[in-house]
Structure formats: structure tokens, C-alpha cells
């Protein structure tokens, strides 16, 4: 079982960490980086693409993709992740024209049936799985109470608190993909390099 905690530092912070309520920063990236959320597909260390929340997928014709969402995945609040929940999360991004990740998909319609998600595009889009790796397309529970500072995803950690100085995440006991090694992670925002160096040397931060 997981145990212990760690502290690491980032030199920039988002104003908010919901990928829709965003400023000029790339908020979906932070949700993913903090371990709170995951995308349907992911980029591996060697640059290849593999399914993440998706069990299997196929391009049934030039403009139709069928994705089967893995069974047994839950959001960190315990809610089951079905195709309906995934559709709601993607629709929320697609409704924001200023978010380029959504526009790039060229989506005409999304249908949900059980664990099957059918995405129809307005034109052939063979790069769809690659595009679904984008951090701005992280899958979140759209019904969670505080999307601005505590978005609820499927990742190994739950956001406990978020403010101008730090973000604290705790172990997600409902995590679907193996044991979470740490109980708690604290992310401090330190923009000044001298302060960052001093904090490392003093042991205030671990990474």
C-alpha cells in the first residue's frame, strides 16, 4: 500500500486548474500533471499512442470512431465512468470555441450507449486518437461541485486544496489502475530560481 508524502516545486502556476475556466495558462496540463485526471489516450515515452481510459477502438468508416470505455473505472468521488460521463466531459470542451484542442477533433456528433462512445467527425480525421491525448481533453466529472479549483477526475490523486502558493493532492482510494505509492503530494509554486535553489538545499522541497 502507498505511504509517505513528497513535496515538489513548479516555477509557474495556473490561475485555476479546470481546463475550461482558464486564463492564458494551459490548465488541462496541470490537472493531468497533478495526477487528478487522465485522457482517453496517452503518449508513451517512446512517442507512440496507446489507449488509457479506452479498452478498444476502431475507425468503422472515414468519419466514424467507436471507442469502448474500460469497465470498472471510477472518478475519485466513486462515480462510475460510463460513455455518458465521457461524452459530457468532451461536450463541455467542445462548447468552448476558444479551446483549440476541441476544435481540432472536427466533431459532428458524440453518442453514448453503455460503455460505447461513438464519435462522428465532419471530415475524415485519422489523427483522432492522437488528438484525444491532449491535456485539455482530460476526462472530468462535470457534476463535481468545484470545477475551478477541485476538478474530479480518474487519476491516482485527489485535489485537496489549491491556492496561490501551493496545491495539495491526496491518494485516490478508488484508483482503477494499481496501487498509488504516495499518500500525499504537495506542489509548491516557486517562481524565483534563487528561492527554489535554497529550498532544495534546505530540504523544504524534495524535487
Amino acid at each position: 500500500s502507498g505511504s509517505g508524502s513528497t513535496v515538489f516545486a513548479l516555477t509557474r502556476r495556473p490561475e485555476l486548474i479546470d481546463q475550461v475556466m482558464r486564463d492564458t495558462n494551459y490548465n488541462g496540463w496541470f490537472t493531468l500533471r497533478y495526477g487528478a485526471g487522465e485522457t482517453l489516450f496517452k503518449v508513451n515515452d517512446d512517442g507512440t499512442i496507446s489507449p488509457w481510459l479506452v479498452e478498444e477502438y476502431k475507425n468503422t468508416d472515414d468519419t466514424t470512431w467507436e471507442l469502448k470505455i474500460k469497465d470498472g473505472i471510477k472518478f475519485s468521488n466513486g462515480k462510475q465512468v460510463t460513455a455518458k460521463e465521457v461524452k459530457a466531459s468532451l461536450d463541455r470542451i467542445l462548447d468552448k470555441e476558444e479551446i483549440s484542442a476541441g476544435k481540432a477533433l472536427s466533431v459532428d456528433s458524440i453518442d453514448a450507449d453503455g460503455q460505447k462512445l461513438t464519435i462522428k467527425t465532419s471530415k475524415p480525421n485519422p489523427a483522432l486518437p492522437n488528438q484525444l491525448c491532449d491535456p485539455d481533453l482530460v476526462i472530468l466529472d462535470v457534476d463535481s461541485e468545484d470545477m475551478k479549483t477541485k476538478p474530479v477526475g480518474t487519476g491516482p490523486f485527489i485535489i485537496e486544496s489549491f491556492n496561490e502558493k501551493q496545491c495539495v493532492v491526496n491518494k485516490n482510494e478508488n484508483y482503477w489502475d494499481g496501487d498509488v505509492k504516495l499518500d500525499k503530494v504537495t506542489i509548491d509554486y516557486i517562481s524565483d530560481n534563487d528561492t527554489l535553489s535554497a529550498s532544495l538545499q534546505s530540504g523544504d522541497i524534495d524535487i
Side-chain angles (χ1 to χ4, degrees), residues 125-168:
N125 184 11
L128 187 88
N130 301 60
Q131 294 166 342
L132 289 171
C133 297
D134 192 299
D136 269 352
L137 300 175
V138 64
I139 302 303
L140 302 175
D141 178 7
V142 300
D143 296 323
S144 56
E145 292 181 7
D146 187 358
M147 294 291 283
K148 292 182 181 180
T149 60
K150 293 184 180 180
V152 173
T154 61
F157 292 100
I158 300 170
I159 296 171
E160 177 190 289
S161 63
F162 170 80
N163 57 47
E164 63 183 18
K165 293 182 178 180
Q166 66 178 200
C167 180
V168 178

Side-chain angles (χ1 to χ4, degrees), residues 38 40 51-57 67-75 78-86 113-117 154 174-178:
E38 297 166 329
L40 294 176
W52 200 354
L53 300 181
V54 169
E55 182 72 42
E56 56 188 25
Y57 64 102
L67 283 61
K68 183 181 183 297
I69 308 303
K70 288 179 179 176
D71 289 316
I73 298 178
K74 293 180 180 179
F75 289 114
K79 182 192 286 188
Q80 200 74 27
V81 178
T82 66
K84 178 184 175 183
E85 308 298 334
V86 173
D113 180 15
Q115 295 302 102
K116 187 174 83 170
L117 190 77
T154 61
N174 289 314
Y175 191 51
W176 63 278
D177 193 22

Side-chain angles (χ1 to χ4, degrees), residues 97-113:
E97 290 190 2
E98 67 271 22
I99 299 182
S100 59
K103 286 170 49 177
L105 298 175
S106 302
V107 170
D108 185 42
S109 66
I110 303 179
D111 293 307
D113 180 15

